[in-house]
Amino acid sequence: MSTPEREPFDDERVGTRYRAEVEAAYRKVEAAAAPEAQTQLSRGVLTGYLWALGRADAAPATGITGGAPDLGRLTAEVDAVTVQLEDAVQRGVTDDHARGLYDALSWICGQSDRRP
């Protein structure tokens, strides 16, 4: 008897967090500000959550494509955002947007206990 294949985003975990926990965090940030009132920080957080949940075409900092990311890809993206925060020349987004990405992805990876 074979196990049916699952979509990569059907796993109950996203990074080190439960999918439901990441979904709830996304909804909370999204509800806090209407699209026209969102800050660059909140847009960065939302972008990070969407990519981690497998709902974006490409990774937000590196542009790598390929579906829902596993923990290794999530961690690599945190590293890429860290480099961008340290070197403005390599950054294609504002400081606040990059900080939002970092906050969301590092929380998802378990590198931070502070949920953005």
Side-chain angles (χ1 to χ4, degrees):
M1 183 163 121
S2 67
T3 305
E5 285 195 39
R6 295 168 44 181
E7 293 291 326
F9 47 83
D10 283 342
D11 194 11
E12 69 178 65
R13 288 208 179 253
V14 175
T16 63
R17 307 290 175 186
Y18 285 105
R19 173 169 289 284
E21 189 178 11
V22 177
E23 293 277 2
Y26 172 81
R27 286 191 303 274
K28 183 177 179 180
V29 174
E30 185 180 45
E36 63 277 356
Q38 289 175 357
T39 65
Q40 286 297 316
L41 183 71
S42 65
R43 286 184 182 134
V45 170
L46 291 171
T47 300
Y49 285 155
L50 285 174
W51 176 69
L53 290 165
R55 297 185 189 142
D57 293 333
T62 62
I64 295 171
T65 59
D70 60 10
L71 184 56
R73 285 184 57 205
L74 286 162
T75 302
E77 198 71 6
V78 171
D79 292 345
V81 174
T82 300
V83 168
Q84 289 181 359
L85 284 167
E86 293 171 354
D87 185 0
V89 174
Q90 294 189 33
R91 190 175 334 118
V93 295
T94 66
D95 283 347
D96 286 345
H97 191 275
R99 171 62 52 197
L101 280 172
Y102 176 83
D103 290 348
L105 295 176
S106 63
W107 174 73
I108 288 169
C109 291
Q111 297 175 359
S112 169
D113 291 331
R114 188 181 146 291
R115 182 174 92 171

